Amino acid sequence: MTPTFALQSTSSPLHVAIIMDGNGRWATRRGLPRSAGHRAGARAVRGAVEAAARDPAIAALTLYAFSADNWRRPAPEVTALFRLLARFLATEGPRCAANGVRVSVIGRRDRLPAPLVSAIAATEAATAAGSALHLRIALDYSARWAIGAGCLVPDVDLLIRTGGERRLSDFLLWESAYAELVFLDRLWPDFTVADFAGALREFHARERRFGHLPGAAAR
Ligand code: IPE
Ligand code: IPE
Ligand code: MG
């Protein structure tokens, strides 16, 4: 998908994080299996990554793809998700390399299937030189686990959650201490570049105070 316009530019490079929620409901509403929603969600990921890579204002994008608690789902859904993720890395890895996107995976790897672990390592190696965008994919991720293990990433500036829920579901708890939160009712597979741009506009309309008085210079 080629988005039709660029995202809004800003002065300092941003770390945007997204909780990509709503794939299952998207599919169920269409009478499709949940796995079809995850496939549609993967297409939305491609659009979001390409848009972020083109925007010089966004330095890093962290996407929540599979939480440590998602192991509680039925095994066939988990298996389908891991297969889809491995395929996604195989097809998107070269695109990311071509677009200057460096891909990293955060979260545990010791419980993931071996082919997925190999696909992750191959993608990380193939994209290591990318400097347009650092794409982080959170897989078997738990913020509480990451904090305990000291696996922290840069502070989040803007945290977007699609799918209508207003919660963090154990995502980047430490790094979101001063993140601006944007909750969208849109289900993830329907998330467009226009939605992304709208969330960034909302971000820029807010005053980040970091404890200062209103109007005082932020950090
Ligand atoms: C988010 O969509 C993707 C993952 C958690 C893997 P869901 O699968 O949670 O979709 P809903 O919330 O059931 O609609
Ligand atoms: C959070 O969504 C995890 C991902 C988007 C990968 P969930 O759908 O698993 O979150 P809860 O269960 O509604 O909190
Ligand atoms: Mg969900």
Side-chain angles (χ1 to χ4, degrees):
M1 184 191 82
T2 306
T4 51
F5 55 89
L7 302 178
Q8 187 177 333
S9 283
T10 62
S11 47
S12 57
L14 300 177
H15 178 193
V16 179
I18 307 182
I19 301 174
M20 310 182 292
D21 197 18
N23 293 352
R25 280 164 284 169
W26 184 94
T28 302
R29 284 177 195 176
R30 287 163 176 75
L32 299 170
R34 293 178 57 88
S35 55
H38 296 312
R39 280 198 299 277
R43 290 194 286 275
V45 171
R46 176 191 280 191
V49 170
E50 288 184 352
R54 273 202 314 274
D55 188 338
I58 299 178
L61 178 67
T62 303
L63 301 177
Y64 207 3
F66 188 86
S67 78
D69 289 325
N70 288 148
W71 285 106
R72 295 173 172 156
R73 296 187 179 197
E77 176 168 350
V78 172
T79 304
L81 267 169
F82 289 157
R83 282 218 191 93
L84 178 65
L85 279 159
R87 255 205 321 276
F88 180 85
L89 291 173
T91 57
E92 296 306 305
R95 288 173 73 94
C96 285
N99 292 333
V101 176
R102 174 181 159 212
V103 182
S104 303
V105 171
I106 60 170
R108 292 180 62 169
R109 294 193 196 181
D110 56 306
R111 304 190 291 192
L112 299 177
L116 180 54
V117 175
S118 303
I120 290 167
T123 304
E124 288 180 334
T127 62
S131 59
L133 176 74
H134 191 180
L135 172 64
R136 293 188 183 88
I137 302 174
L139 217 49
D140 196 0
Y141 178 85
S142 155
R144 285 180 292 193
W145 185 87
I147 290 166
C151 302
L152 305 178
V153 300
D155 278 359
V156 174
D157 297 296
L158 167 63
L159 175 65
I160 301 168
R161 180 172 188 145
T162 62
E165 314 293 356
R166 269 84 174 144
R167 59 176 169 259
L168 298 181
S169 301
D170 203 8
F171 187 47
L172 299 175
L173 301 178
W174 176 281
E175 296 86 344
S176 297
Y178 272 103
E180 295 297 329
L181 309 179
V182 172
F183 296 104
L184 303 176
D185 289 332
R186 182 92 75 211
L187 301 177
W188 174 253
D190 293 327
F191 184 82
T192 64
V193 175
D195 295 321
F196 203 164
L200 283 159
R201 266 197 307 278
E202 162 132 19
F203 171 81
H204 289 297
R206 295 188 190 174
E207 186 187 14
R208 303 184 79 193
R209 288 193 287 275
F210 300 101
H212 292 277
L213 293 177
R219 294 194 283 214

